[in-house]
Amino acid sequence: MVTGGAGFIGSHISERLLDQGHEVLVVDNFYSSSRRNLVHLIDHPNFELMRHDVTFPLYVEVDEIYHLACPASPIYYQRDPVQTTKTSVHGSINMLGLAKRTGAKILLSSTSEVYGDPQVHPQTEDYWGNVNPIGIRSCYDEGKRCAETLFFDYRRQHDLGIKVARIFNTYGPRMQPNDGRVVSNFIVQALAGDPITIYGDGSQTRSFCFVDDMVDGLMGLMATDHDVTGPINIGNPVEFTMLELAELVLELTGSASQIEHRPLPQDDPTRRRPDITRARDTLGWEPRAQLRDGLERTIEYFTALPAS
Ligand SMILES: NC(=O)c1ccc[n+]([C@@H]2O[C@H](COP(=O)([O-])OP(=O)(O)OC[C@H]3O[C@@H](n4cnc5c(N)ncnc54)[C@H](O)[C@@H]3O)[C@@H](O)[C@H]2O)c1
């Protein structure tokens, strides 16, 4: 079962699971996605799609749960912040309850946002983070932190097979075109010939993981023994400034767009980079895609996307 399976990362996981011969149940309420991401899977004999909001209990028979349901981009998670917290907290309680009843392994797609605006670089999993509990990003950051707490409490109380992945910025085909994430923003703006908006002076850095690498990491984590719980950082440790990213997108799209600077939003972290030693040692995983190659594949996707 993949909750949030109609979303960007979830649709890639669902596809990979089907390719490996598994039966896949996608549970999604389409809060931040559409069926477009799944149209190519709908007729697959091992695929099933259920419209359901994970903040309500769910009774199905499953043996592995990828729990991804949660809006991931600020535009979506800030649209209805109370629902965002509910999705992380009630949604996790419901899915953990399901895992307990069925004996399924359950993986949480947590986030690098649990580190907030970090004071430790790069971030290791034992860093507790620097998160504003009352800011406009808190519904997402604190929601995920509480989801992690719930996962570990279910482990301690009920010995559940939990896996907690802390996902860092991921990009690739099937990101939503207008959800405000930096890679999709830059590509959409460049393809339209619109100005590329950089918040601040563009010196803030991010690390970008191509979605195929992310799927390898998450599935590798799911396949580990009962004693491996995480949390485990999954992301790309190579840092780029926003200015470097914008310039690469301009080069690869051949766009004549200009770069435009805007004020930095509240609580925007200036730097974030995963320490992936634990993923390397435990999963034998590290990202393989180069940013240039991943961007080319993402640009291809956005170029082919029908205007909506
Ligand atoms: N993409 C990233 O860079 C990134 C980084 C860190 C963490 N994550 C985490 O990975 C997961 C997937 O992210 P994504 O980038 O694919 O985002 P996405 O928004 O494309 O996918 C999330 C999916 O969850 C669904 N959803 C939201 N609320 C729901 C609810 N109450 N009930 C059922 N379905 C619901 C949405 O409709 C959507 O299909 C999220 O949990 C996100 O927090 C992603």
Side-chain angles (χ1 to χ4, degrees), residues 112 115 118 120-127 165-168 207 231-239 271-283 285-287:
S112 55
Y115 300 122
V120 168
H121 285 284
Q123 289 83 54
T124 48
E125 291 85 349
D126 51 14
Y127 176 52
R166 290 187 181 150
I167 298 178
F168 283 65
S207 53
I232 193 156
N233 291 336
I234 309 206
N236 195 326
V238 181
E239 275 178 297
R271 264 186 93 190
R272 204 182 276 134
R273 176 161 78 97
D275 180 316
I276 59 163
T277 310
R278 195 179 279 184
R280 280 200 183 102
D281 293 349
T282 319
L283 312 176
W285 176 88
E286 62 185 348

Short mmCIF file of all heavy atoms in Angstrom, two decimals, residues 112 115 118 120-127 165-168 207 231-239 271-283 285-287:
data_model
loop_
_atom_site.label_atom_id
_atom_site.label_comp_id
_atom_site.label_asym_id
_atom_site.label_seq_id
_atom_site.Cartn_x
_atom_site.Cartn_y
_atom_site.Cartn_z
N SER A 112 13.66 16.43 5.79
CA SER A 112 14.78 17.23 6.30
C SER A 112 14.26 18.44 7.07
O SER A 112 15.01 19.04 7.84
CB SER A 112 15.64 17.70 5.13
OG SER A 112 14.84 18.39 4.19
N TYR A 115 14.81 19.15 10.77
CA TYR A 115 16.01 19.84 11.26
C TYR A 115 15.80 21.36 11.30
O TYR A 115 16.65 22.08 11.82
CB TYR A 115 17.22 19.51 10.38
CG TYR A 115 17.56 18.03 10.32
CD1 TYR A 115 17.61 17.35 9.11
CD2 TYR A 115 17.84 17.32 11.49
CE1 TYR A 115 17.92 16.00 9.06
CE2 TYR A 115 18.15 15.97 11.44
CZ TYR A 115 18.18 15.31 10.22
OH TYR A 115 18.48 13.98 10.17
N PRO A 118 18.92 24.55 10.35
CA PRO A 118 19.88 23.80 11.15
C PRO A 118 21.11 24.60 11.56
O PRO A 118 21.58 25.45 10.81
CB PRO A 118 20.28 22.64 10.22
CG PRO A 118 19.91 23.06 8.85
CD PRO A 118 18.85 24.10 8.96
N VAL A 120 23.77 22.79 12.52
CA VAL A 120 24.80 21.76 12.35
C VAL A 120 24.87 21.43 10.87
O VAL A 120 23.83 21.21 10.24
CB VAL A 120 24.41 20.50 13.15
CG1 VAL A 120 25.28 19.32 12.78
CG2 VAL A 120 24.48 20.77 14.64
N HIS A 121 26.06 21.41 10.30
CA HIS A 121 26.20 21.10 8.87
C HIS A 121 27.29 20.07 8.65
O HIS A 121 28.34 20.18 9.22
CB HIS A 121 26.57 22.36 8.08
CG HIS A 121 25.41 23.27 7.90
ND1 HIS A 121 24.41 23.01 7.01
CD2 HIS A 121 25.08 24.42 8.53
CE1 HIS A 121 23.52 23.99 7.09
NE2 HIS A 121 23.89 24.83 8.00
N PRO A 122 27.09 19.10 7.77
CA PRO A 122 25.80 18.70 7.25
C PRO A 122 24.97 18.08 8.36
O PRO A 122 25.48 17.82 9.44
CB PRO A 122 26.17 17.68 6.17
CG PRO A 122 27.50 17.14 6.59
CD PRO A 122 28.20 18.23 7.36
N GLN A 123 23.68 17.80 8.12
CA GLN A 123 22.82 17.29 9.18
C GLN A 123 22.97 15.76 9.32
O GLN A 123 22.81 15.04 8.35
CB GLN A 123 21.35 17.61 8.89
CG GLN A 123 21.02 19.08 9.05
CD GLN A 123 21.36 19.89 7.81
OE1 GLN A 123 20.91 19.56 6.74
NE2 GLN A 123 22.16 20.94 7.97
N THR A 124 23.31 15.36 10.53
CA THR A 124 23.32 13.92 10.84
C THR A 124 22.00 13.60 11.55
O THR A 124 21.35 14.48 12.11
CB THR A 124 24.49 13.57 11.79
OG1 THR A 124 24.48 14.51 12.86
CG2 THR A 124 25.81 13.63 11.07
N GLU A 125 21.65 12.32 11.56
CA GLU A 125 20.35 11.93 12.11
C GLU A 125 20.25 12.19 13.61
O GLU A 125 19.15 12.29 14.15
CB GLU A 125 20.06 10.45 11.84
CG GLU A 125 19.80 10.12 10.37
CD GLU A 125 21.07 9.86 9.57
OE1 GLU A 125 22.18 10.14 10.09
OE2 GLU A 125 20.95 9.39 8.42
N ASP A 126 21.39 12.30 14.31
CA ASP A 126 21.29 12.51 15.76
C ASP A 126 21.15 14.00 16.11
O ASP A 126 21.01 14.35 17.29
CB ASP A 126 22.45 11.85 16.52
CG ASP A 126 23.80 12.22 15.95
OD1 ASP A 126 23.84 13.18 15.15
OD2 ASP A 126 24.79 11.56 16.30
N TYR A 127 21.14 14.87 15.11
CA TYR A 127 20.87 16.30 15.37
C TYR A 127 19.37 16.50 15.58
O TYR A 127 18.56 16.02 14.78
CB TYR A 127 21.38 17.14 14.18
CG TYR A 127 21.05 18.61 14.30
CD1 TYR A 127 21.40 19.32 15.45
CD2 TYR A 127 20.41 19.29 13.28
CE1 TYR A 127 21.09 20.66 15.58
CE2 TYR A 127 20.10 20.64 13.39
CZ TYR A 127 20.45 21.32 14.55
OH TYR A 127 20.14 22.65 14.67
N ALA A 165 12.31 7.43 7.11
CA ALA A 165 13.25 8.04 6.16
C ALA A 165 13.10 9.55 6.24
O ALA A 165 11.99 10.07 6.24
CB ALA A 165 12.92 7.58 4.74
N ARG A 166 14.22 10.26 6.35
CA ARG A 166 14.18 11.73 6.30
C ARG A 166 14.61 12.15 4.90
O ARG A 166 15.79 12.10 4.55
CB ARG A 166 15.08 12.34 7.36
CG ARG A 166 14.51 12.12 8.74
CD ARG A 166 15.30 12.86 9.80
NE ARG A 166 14.73 12.61 11.12
CZ ARG A 166 15.42 12.60 12.24
NH1 ARG A 166 16.72 12.86 12.23
NH2 ARG A 166 14.82 12.36 13.40
N ILE A 167 13.60 12.52 4.13
CA ILE A 167 13.82 12.84 2.72
C ILE A 167 14.28 14.28 2.57
O ILE A 167 13.70 15.18 3.18
CB ILE A 167 12.49 12.63 1.93
CG1 ILE A 167 12.05 11.16 2.03
CG2 ILE A 167 12.62 13.09 0.50
CD1 ILE A 167 10.73 10.87 1.33
N PHE A 168 15.33 14.46 1.79
CA PHE A 168 15.79 15.81 1.43
C PHE A 168 15.27 16.13 0.02
O PHE A 168 14.90 15.22 -0.73
CB PHE A 168 17.31 15.89 1.49
CG PHE A 168 17.86 15.97 2.89
CD1 PHE A 168 17.70 14.92 3.79
CD2 PHE A 168 18.52 17.11 3.32
CE1 PHE A 168 18.18 15.00 5.09
CE2 PHE A 168 19.02 17.20 4.62
CZ PHE A 168 18.85 16.16 5.50
N SER A 207 20.38 20.80 -1.72
CA SER A 207 20.92 19.61 -2.40
C SER A 207 19.71 18.92 -3.02
O SER A 207 18.64 18.88 -2.42
CB SER A 207 21.61 18.72 -1.38
OG SER A 207 20.75 18.44 -0.32
N PRO A 231 15.86 6.86 12.34
CA PRO A 231 15.71 7.66 11.13
C PRO A 231 16.98 7.65 10.28
O PRO A 231 18.07 7.52 10.82
CB PRO A 231 15.44 9.07 11.67
CG PRO A 231 16.04 9.07 13.04
CD PRO A 231 15.89 7.68 13.57
N ILE A 232 16.75 7.76 8.99
CA ILE A 232 17.86 7.69 8.07
C ILE A 232 17.68 8.75 6.99
O ILE A 232 16.60 8.86 6.40
CB ILE A 232 17.95 6.24 7.52
CG1 ILE A 232 19.25 5.99 6.80
CG2 ILE A 232 16.81 5.86 6.65
CD1 ILE A 232 19.61 4.50 6.79
N ASN A 233 18.72 9.56 6.81
CA ASN A 233 18.67 10.62 5.79
C ASN A 233 18.77 10.01 4.40
O ASN A 233 19.66 9.20 4.14
CB ASN A 233 19.86 11.57 5.93
CG ASN A 233 19.79 12.43 7.18
OD1 ASN A 233 18.71 12.66 7.72
ND2 ASN A 233 20.93 12.91 7.64
N ILE A 234 17.86 10.41 3.52
CA ILE A 234 17.98 10.00 2.12
C ILE A 234 17.91 11.26 1.28
O ILE A 234 16.90 11.97 1.27
CB ILE A 234 16.88 8.99 1.72
CG1 ILE A 234 16.87 7.87 2.74
CG2 ILE A 234 17.14 8.47 0.31
CD1 ILE A 234 16.38 6.55 2.31
N GLY A 235 19.01 11.55 0.64
CA GLY A 235 19.09 12.77 -0.16
C GLY A 235 20.45 12.85 -0.80
O GLY A 235 21.29 11.96 -0.62
N ASN A 236 20.66 13.91 -1.52
CA ASN A 236 21.92 14.07 -2.23
C ASN A 236 22.78 15.10 -1.49
O ASN A 236 22.34 16.21 -1.26
CB ASN A 236 21.63 14.56 -3.65
CG ASN A 236 22.84 14.40 -4.55
OD1 ASN A 236 23.97 14.54 -4.11
ND2 ASN A 236 22.59 14.09 -5.80
N PRO A 237 24.00 14.71 -1.10
CA PRO A 237 24.82 15.63 -0.32
C PRO A 237 25.50 16.72 -1.14
O PRO A 237 26.14 17.61 -0.57
CB PRO A 237 25.86 14.72 0.34
CG PRO A 237 25.89 13.47 -0.45
CD PRO A 237 24.61 13.37 -1.23
N VAL A 238 25.38 16.69 -2.46
CA VAL A 238 26.07 17.71 -3.26
C VAL A 238 25.24 19.00 -3.24
O VAL A 238 24.08 19.00 -3.63
CB VAL A 238 26.25 17.24 -4.73
CG1 VAL A 238 26.98 18.29 -5.54
CG2 VAL A 238 26.98 15.91 -4.77
N GLU A 239 25.87 20.09 -2.76
CA GLU A 239 25.13 21.36 -2.62
C GLU A 239 25.28 22.26 -3.84
O GLU A 239 26.35 22.34 -4.43
CB GLU A 239 25.71 22.15 -1.43
CG GLU A 239 25.14 21.77 -0.10
CD GLU A 239 25.80 22.56 1.01
OE1 GLU A 239 27.02 22.41 1.21
OE2 GLU A 239 25.10 23.32 1.68
N ARG A 271 20.79 27.00 4.58
CA ARG A 271 21.60 25.88 4.07
C ARG A 271 21.00 24.58 4.55
O ARG A 271 20.50 24.49 5.67
CB ARG A 271 23.01 25.93 4.68
CG ARG A 271 24.02 26.58 3.83
CD ARG A 271 25.37 26.43 4.48
NE ARG A 271 26.09 25.25 4.00
CZ ARG A 271 27.22 24.82 4.58
NH1 ARG A 271 27.71 25.41 5.63
NH2 ARG A 271 27.83 23.75 4.08
N ARG A 272 21.08 23.56 3.72
CA ARG A 272 20.66 22.25 4.19
C ARG A 272 21.35 21.19 3.35
O ARG A 272 21.33 21.26 2.13
CB ARG A 272 19.16 22.11 4.11
CG ARG A 272 18.71 21.09 5.08
CD ARG A 272 17.28 20.84 5.06
NE ARG A 272 16.47 21.75 5.83
CZ ARG A 272 15.36 22.28 5.35
NH1 ARG A 272 15.02 22.06 4.12
NH2 ARG A 272 14.62 23.03 6.10
N ARG A 273 22.00 20.25 4.02
CA ARG A 273 22.68 19.19 3.28
C ARG A 273 22.70 17.94 4.15
O ARG A 273 23.06 18.01 5.33
CB ARG A 273 24.12 19.62 2.97
CG ARG A 273 24.93 18.54 2.29
CD ARG A 273 26.14 19.12 1.59
NE ARG A 273 27.23 19.43 2.50
CZ ARG A 273 28.27 18.62 2.72
NH1 ARG A 273 28.34 17.46 2.11
NH2 ARG A 273 29.22 18.97 3.55
N PRO A 274 22.33 16.80 3.57
CA PRO A 274 22.31 15.59 4.40
C PRO A 274 23.70 14.99 4.59
O PRO A 274 24.52 15.02 3.67
CB PRO A 274 21.46 14.63 3.56
CG PRO A 274 21.67 15.05 2.14
CD PRO A 274 21.89 16.55 2.19
N ASP A 275 23.93 14.46 5.77
CA ASP A 275 25.04 13.53 5.95
C ASP A 275 24.43 12.16 5.67
O ASP A 275 23.50 11.75 6.36
CB ASP A 275 25.56 13.63 7.39
CG ASP A 275 26.73 12.68 7.63
OD1 ASP A 275 26.65 11.51 7.18
OD2 ASP A 275 27.70 13.10 8.26
N ILE A 276 24.92 11.47 4.65
CA ILE A 276 24.29 10.19 4.28
C ILE A 276 25.14 8.98 4.67
O ILE A 276 24.97 7.89 4.12
CB ILE A 276 23.89 10.14 2.79
CG1 ILE A 276 25.10 10.31 1.87
CG2 ILE A 276 22.81 11.16 2.48
CD1 ILE A 276 24.81 9.86 0.42
N THR A 277 26.03 9.18 5.64
CA THR A 277 26.88 8.06 6.08
C THR A 277 26.02 6.86 6.50
O THR A 277 26.31 5.71 6.15
CB THR A 277 27.74 8.51 7.29
OG1 THR A 277 28.37 9.73 6.94
CG2 THR A 277 28.76 7.47 7.67
N ARG A 278 24.94 7.15 7.23
CA ARG A 278 24.11 6.05 7.74
C ARG A 278 23.46 5.29 6.57
O ARG A 278 23.40 4.06 6.58
CB ARG A 278 23.05 6.59 8.69
CG ARG A 278 22.40 5.51 9.53
CD ARG A 278 21.36 6.05 10.48
NE ARG A 278 21.92 6.60 11.70
CZ ARG A 278 21.19 7.08 12.72
NH1 ARG A 278 19.87 7.06 12.64
NH2 ARG A 278 21.75 7.55 13.79
N ALA A 279 22.99 6.02 5.56
CA ALA A 279 22.36 5.36 4.41
C ALA A 279 23.40 4.52 3.65
O ALA A 279 23.13 3.40 3.22
CB ALA A 279 21.73 6.39 3.47
N ARG A 280 24.60 5.07 3.53
CA ARG A 280 25.67 4.32 2.85
C ARG A 280 25.99 3.04 3.61
O ARG A 280 26.06 1.96 3.03
CB ARG A 280 26.96 5.17 2.79
CG ARG A 280 26.96 6.19 1.70
CD ARG A 280 28.40 6.63 1.37
NE ARG A 280 28.38 7.68 0.37
CZ ARG A 280 28.55 8.98 0.64
NH1 ARG A 280 28.79 9.38 1.86
NH2 ARG A 280 28.50 9.85 -0.34
N ASP A 281 26.15 3.16 4.95
CA ASP A 281 26.57 2.01 5.76
C ASP A 281 25.45 0.98 5.90
O ASP A 281 25.69 -0.22 5.86
CB ASP A 281 27.00 2.46 7.17
CG ASP A 281 28.26 3.30 7.11
OD1 ASP A 281 28.90 3.35 6.04
OD2 ASP A 281 28.60 3.92 8.14
N THR A 282 24.21 1.46 6.09
CA THR A 282 23.11 0.53 6.39
C THR A 282 22.49 -0.05 5.13
O THR A 282 22.11 -1.21 5.11
CB THR A 282 21.99 1.25 7.19
OG1 THR A 282 22.60 2.10 8.15
CG2 THR A 282 21.06 0.28 7.87
N LEU A 283 22.35 0.80 4.12
CA LEU A 283 21.62 0.37 2.91
C LEU A 283 22.55 0.15 1.72
O LEU A 283 22.11 -0.34 0.68
CB LEU A 283 20.58 1.43 2.49
CG LEU A 283 19.66 2.00 3.57
CD1 LEU A 283 18.78 3.10 3.00
CD2 LEU A 283 18.80 0.88 4.16
N TRP A 285 23.48 2.53 0.03
CA TRP A 285 22.83 3.44 -0.93
C TRP A 285 23.56 4.77 -1.03
O TRP A 285 24.02 5.30 -0.02
CB TRP A 285 21.39 3.72 -0.47
CG TRP A 285 20.67 4.72 -1.34
CD1 TRP A 285 19.96 4.46 -2.46
CD2 TRP A 285 20.62 6.15 -1.16
NE1 TRP A 285 19.46 5.62 -3.00
CE2 TRP A 285 19.86 6.67 -2.22
CE3 TRP A 285 21.17 7.03 -0.22
CZ2 TRP A 285 19.60 8.04 -2.37
CZ3 TRP A 285 20.91 8.40 -0.36
CH2 TRP A 285 20.13 8.88 -1.43
N GLU A 286 23.66 5.27 -2.23
CA GLU A 286 23.99 6.68 -2.42
C GLU A 286 23.44 7.12 -3.76
O GLU A 286 23.23 6.29 -4.64
CB GLU A 286 25.49 6.95 -2.31
CG GLU A 286 26.34 6.28 -3.33
CD GLU A 286 27.82 6.51 -3.06
OE1 GLU A 286 28.18 7.37 -2.24
OE2 GLU A 286 28.61 5.82 -3.70
N PRO A 287 23.15 8.41 -3.92
CA PRO A 287 22.56 8.85 -5.18
C PRO A 287 23.53 8.71 -6.33
O PRO A 287 24.74 8.88 -6.16
CB PRO A 287 22.23 10.33 -4.93
CG PRO A 287 22.97 10.72 -3.72
CD PRO A 287 23.32 9.51 -2.95
#
